Amino acid sequence: MREYKKQETKTLERIICNGCGKIIAVKHGMPMEGVLQVQQVWEYMSGKDGEVDSFDLCEECYDRMTEQFRIPPTKAEVIELV
């Protein structure tokens, strides 16, 4: 869950992990640790047609979630980090 200082400027203030509730610090609008942001727009062929779900997970909750996958996430190495 993302919290903003002012809705009109969309200045990110902090992130709360939807899994464990951990507060993820934000400095100058950037998270200070790894966080997975998910935003899913449900489309026509779904029972959730027209809904948008979004959530954030800290790295530990992400690891717990992906450990349960039958097929692990595809991974690739990024040479240049932004």
Side-chain angles (χ1 to χ4, degrees):
M1 181 177 95
R2 293 178 176 243
E3 293 182 345
Y4 297 89
K5 283 184 180 180
K6 296 179 181 177
Q7 286 300 108
E8 61 275 1
T9 60
K10 290 286 190 179
T11 303
L12 184 61
E13 187 171 275
R14 71 178 181 167
I15 301 170
I16 302 170
C17 175
N18 285 76
C20 66
K22 175 182 177 180
I23 296 173
I24 298 165
V26 172
K27 187 174 183 179
H28 304 295
M30 298 286 296
M32 294 290 96
E33 60 183 271
V35 61
L36 170 71
Q37 179 184 16
V38 175
Q39 185 168 19
Q40 172 62 33
V41 178
W42 296 99
E43 297 179 0
Y44 181 69
M45 301 305 269
S46 166
K48 296 175 174 61
D49 185 25
E51 294 179 15
V52 179
D53 289 346
S54 60
F55 62 89
D56 296 283
L57 293 177
C58 68
E59 198 167 346
E60 292 81 15
C61 287
Y62 169 82
D63 289 340
R64 278 195 296 276
M65 179 182 71
T66 57
E67 284 173 359
Q68 298 175 25
F69 289 1
R70 288 182 184 248
I71 301 168
T74 303
K75 297 181 186 241
E77 188 173 333
V78 177
I79 297 172
E80 192 173 312
L81 297 174
V82 177

